[in-house]
Amino acid sequence: MSTASLSTTSTHSTMPTSSTTSPVASAGSKSASARVSHAVLYAILVALTAVFIGPLLFILVNSFKGRFFIADAPFALPLGEYWVGIQNYINGLEETNFFTAAGWSFFITILSVIVIVFFCAMTAYYITRIKTWWTNALYLLFVFSMVVPFQMVMFPTVKIADILNLDNPLGMVVLYLGFGAGLSVFIFSGFVKSIPLSIEEAAMIDGCGPVKNYFLVVMPMLKPVMITVAILNAMWVWNDYLLPYLVIGLSTPYKTIPVVVQQLVGSRGANDMGALMAMLVLAIIPIVVFYLASQKHIIEGVVAGAVKG
Amino acid sequence: MLKSLKRWGALFMGPTLVSFGLAFLAPFFIGLYLSLCEFTTVTDASFVGLKNYFTAFSEGQGFVQALLFTAAVTVIAVITVNVFAFAIAYILTRKLSGTNFFRTVFFMPNLIGGIVLGYTWQTIFNAILLHWNTTLVTNATYGFVGIIILLNWQMVGYMMIIYIAGLQSVPPELTEAAEIDGAGRWTVLRHVTIPMVMPSITICLFLTLSNSFKLYDQNLALTNGQPLDMTEMAALNIVNTVYNRIGFEGVGQAKAVVFFLIVSAIAFIQLRATRGKEVEA
């Protein structure tokens, strides 16, 4: 009976409620109500999916429409006279030099993430293993830097970057190491604490010096955290707008994607809606590809970062 | 045996400390000092005491208004984001098939940067408001509702992931025992599940609170404070004061110090308040 009721359709599922109080019937009505609530939950989830994907589809659809139709008929499909093919993309690429910006975004993000992961892991290892008052103080300073809003240090940082000639992509990497150190050192330290010291002692007895010990014994054990830290920093650096805008500025060829998108709209109030839609699509594509390729690590990274934080 | 490591401090700490000093430590202390100065560059600063702080709170600065707007956005966003995120996480941890697909979809907006996100939503809101022949920047209420919707769309997926991790770590024996004792679904949720996921709630409240309070990119892209700076949040107000008004750099820096103190105080109070409610399994 209960297996039968599981396979009945939803119209049948209301029937057992009218039947009597036999234990079999009540078991049947219970699984039926569970199935109804499952159906409701799926309906909610599908509706939410539309809410979450809708905005992206809206941008994609409009990126193929003529610019005046985007304003007049924003929810129409790009068919017939609305359709302009890839003209918006051609205009947008010309106006923004988008591929150059994408190149610098990739350059700055990849190099920053490598530098952050490599050096912050070493720093975290050192301040966790060497316990003195000043390593403790440094640890607290790193944690403290996570709470401080960027505006607090914005003006002096930009001036320092200017004076020291850090207003270029390589200089950005130096600054990102400094700003990324707080969270990264914090996550690495939490993990280093959980590594038993006896493994390292064994390596030392076998003749490993501290540097060899770190690179051959400790660093391989840090690999899963390194992936977590790399992903959290990649998301942040790739999307960061204010630091590259203020440090590198608009009059250089080193602009990143967020900077050119803001420049495309901010200065002239988006008079070419078509080009804007096309550039938004191009800006979203790399991050979605990255996400679909490494979503397992991203989601694990978010959880690990949150639990440690 | 760690003594031999001690000598390698320069190698292990050097690059991180130099960068941290340049990007954070030195600017932090210079920033504190500059908030007491009148200046246009760091080198021509002259000490003026607390004058900048008084100016920051004076009329015409828009700072108080920006702080109040920020607080309103934060309160509503923190409540809505966490309620939605928890509800979705609760649904996705029931035994339904295909939950991985939904998780993947709901998390996606998080990866899209604030500027791109802001313009995406600006276009959508304007497309909807077109039906009433109006735009996002004609009425501050639209801007407020817009920021709330945008923040929910962006942050719900992230918090959902953290809540799912929390819900999955609740031992099933606990909820089963409560059900056997005759507790209904709501009672179990209120008295067993929620106390057990308190660590997740602490983290999610902290993240939503600080993300909403420090919001800049989305605010800039969505309304840029229009109309009449009525939708200008604190971070945007500070950046505009420092970079768009000649002679007000010191006032902007003083606002930044106030902003830093408020953010730190809120974070500290919130962490203490919810940490105290966490229980051990």
Side-chain angles (χ1 to χ4, degrees):
Chain A
M1 169 70 198
S2 78
T3 32
S5 76
L6 277 173
S7 59
T8 50
T9 61
S10 57
T11 43
H12 289 113
S13 66
T14 50
M15 285 173 63
T17 46
S18 62
S19 63
T20 48
T21 56
S22 86
V24 184
S26 76
S29 78
K30 195 174 182 187
S31 72
S33 77
R35 271 174 359 91
V36 170
S37 77
H38 271 202
V40 171
L41 291 182
Y42 273 115
I44 294 172
L45 291 174
V46 170
L48 282 170
T49 304
V51 171
F52 277 88
I53 296 207
L56 303 178
L57 285 180
F58 178 85
I59 298 299
L60 183 67
V61 164
N62 278 296
S63 74
F64 294 107
K65 278 200 288 206
R67 63 163 97 163
F68 300 112
F69 299 117
I70 296 171
D72 292 343
F75 296 106
L77 286 172
L79 302 169
E81 56 168 349
Y82 295 164
W83 172 262
V84 293
I86 58 165
Q87 193 56 47
N88 289 330
Y89 288 84
I90 294 169
N91 295 347
L93 289 174
E94 266 174 23
E95 277 182 63
T96 58
N97 229 336
F98 187 86
F99 287 132
T100 309
W104 288 117
S105 273
F106 275 109
F107 177 84
I108 293 174
T109 306
I110 292 170
L111 205 58
S112 297
V113 167
I114 292 172
V115 166
I116 289 170
V117 168
F118 186 80
F119 287 118
C120 290
M122 291 176 83
T123 306
Y125 173 71
Y126 192 89
I127 61 175
T128 312
R129 285 292 185 244
I130 305 286
K131 279 283 157 220
T132 60
W133 69 268
W134 62 271
T135 52
N136 272 331
L138 274 176
Y139 178 78
L140 290 177
L141 276 177
F142 283 125
V143 175
F144 172 71
S145 75
M146 285 192 278
V147 188
V148 177
F150 176 70
Q151 281 74 23
M152 174 66 206
V153 294
M154 174 180 71
F155 187 80
T157 301
V158 172
K159 286 291 169 196
I160 288 173
D162 208 29
I163 293 164
L164 298 178
N165 288 323
L166 294 174
D167 49 350
N168 53 63
L170 279 176
M172 290 300 296
V173 174
V174 175
L175 296 178
Y176 277 127
L177 173 59
F179 280 115
L183 180 68
S184 309
V185 169
F186 183 62
I187 295 177
F188 278 125
S189 294
F191 194 83
V192 171
K193 272 178 208 143
S194 71
I195 299 176
L197 205 56
S198 52
I199 300 172
E200 290 169 54
E201 279 166 350
M204 296 263 194
I205 288 165
D206 289 347
C208 265
V211 178
K212 225 176 163 184
N213 167 58
Y214 174 78
F215 283 107
L216 295 180
V217 180
V218 180
M219 210 168 89
M221 286 193 282
L222 291 177
K223 205 182 143 203
V225 213
M226 285 183 158
I227 294 172
T228 300
V229 172
I231 279 170
L232 292 175
N233 282 296
M235 284 164 58
W236 157 60
V237 175
W238 176 267
N239 288 324
D240 192 29
Y241 162 72
L242 203 47
L243 191 65
Y245 166 67
L246 292 176
V247 171
I248 292 184
L250 295 178
S251 53
T252 67
Y254 307 129
K255 288 174 284 193
T256 60
I257 290 176
V259 176
V260 294
V261 169
Q262 167 63 19
Q263 197 181 12
L264 177 67
V265 202
S267 56
R268 283 168 294 124
N271 50 18
D272 190 349
M273 289 292 283
L276 171 62
M277 295 299 110
M279 293 309 100
L280 290 178
V281 171
L282 289 187
I284 290 171
I285 287 174
I287 203 78
V288 170
V289 170
F290 171 70
Y291 176 51
L292 294 178
S294 57
Q295 44 150 320
K296 184 175 144 262
H297 291 301
I298 291 177
I299 287 179
E300 278 171 6
V302 167
V303 173
V307 174
K308 294 276 159 57
Chain B
M1 71 115 218
L2 286 170
K3 270 200 184 119
S4 54
L5 172 64
K6 222 170 183 175
R7 284 181 288 128
W8 293 92
L11 172 71
F12 277 83
M13 319 261 297
T16 312
L17 283 191
V18 169
S19 292
F20 188 66
L22 287 178
F24 179 78
L25 268 189
F28 182 84
F29 291 108
I30 295 172
L32 281 180
Y33 172 69
L34 285 180
S35 73
L36 303 168
C37 296
E38 222 159 64
F39 62 95
T40 49
T41 65
V42 179
T43 40
D44 72 350
S46 57
F47 192 83
V48 294
L50 291 175
K51 187 173 157 231
N52 290 329
Y53 287 86
F54 292 119
T55 315
F57 283 100
S58 67
E59 261 181 80
Q61 280 295 319
F63 188 49
V64 176
Q65 141 87 20
L67 282 174
L68 291 174
F69 186 76
T70 307
V73 167
T74 303
V75 168
I76 304 295
V78 165
I79 295 170
T80 51
V81 167
N82 282 287
V83 167
F84 285 134
F86 187 86
I88 295 173
Y90 190 64
I91 294 174
L92 289 180
T93 46
R94 312 255 311 259
K95 286 176 183 55
L96 298 168
S97 49
T99 47
N100 269 340
F101 166 79
F102 293 115
R103 238 180 261 195
T104 305
V105 170
F106 298 162
F107 183 80
M108 195 156 49
N110 260 286
L111 289 118
I112 301 168
I115 290 289
V116 174
L117 197 76
Y119 286 119
T120 300
W121 276 97
Q122 189 199 59
T123 322
I124 294 168
F125 288 135
N126 280 334
I128 295 168
L129 290 170
L130 181 74
H131 283 280
W132 292 277
N133 270 323
T134 180
T135 65
L136 194 58
V137 293
T138 48
N139 188 327
T141 312
Y142 300 156
F144 180 77
V145 174
I147 289 175
I148 298 291
I149 292 175
L150 183 156
L151 279 177
N152 273 276
W153 192 71
Q154 185 186 14
M155 294 201 291
V156 159
Y158 199 101
M159 304 309 145
M160 171 199 77
I161 294 293
I162 300 174
Y163 281 128
I164 286 176
L167 286 168
Q168 282 172 340
S169 70
V170 177
E173 307 89 67
L174 273 183
T175 45
E176 278 162 23
E179 274 163 14
I180 290 166
D181 289 347
R185 184 171 288 162
W186 281 110
T187 321
V188 173
L189 182 67
R190 242 196 74 123
H191 295 286
V192 180
T193 312
I194 288 180
M196 287 302 294
V197 296
M198 244 1 245
S200 298
I201 295 176
T202 302
I203 297 303
C204 287
L205 285 181
F206 177 76
L207 291 175
T208 45
L209 203 64
S210 60
N211 285 350
S212 314
F213 214 86
K214 294 188 206 170
L215 201 69
Y216 174 81
D217 294 10
Q218 291 88 331
N219 189 208
L220 172 74
L222 195 68
T223 61
N224 195 11
Q226 296 307 310
L228 298 168
D229 295 340
M230 284 160 80
T231 61
E232 188 182 61
M233 293 175 71
L236 182 60
N237 179 275
I238 293 168
V239 176
N240 283 341
T241 311
V242 174
Y243 286 102
N244 294 344
R245 267 189 250 166
I246 294 157
F248 280 88
E249 288 85 354
V251 178
Q253 188 60 47
K255 288 178 179 178
V257 173
V258 172
F259 187 50
F260 151 68
L261 291 173
I262 295 174
V263 171
S264 315
I266 292 175
F268 181 73
I269 293 166
Q270 185 265 322
L271 285 177
R272 287 211 47 171
T274 46
R275 278 263 186 255
K277 290 204 170 62
E278 288 178 15
V279 291
E280 294 285 318

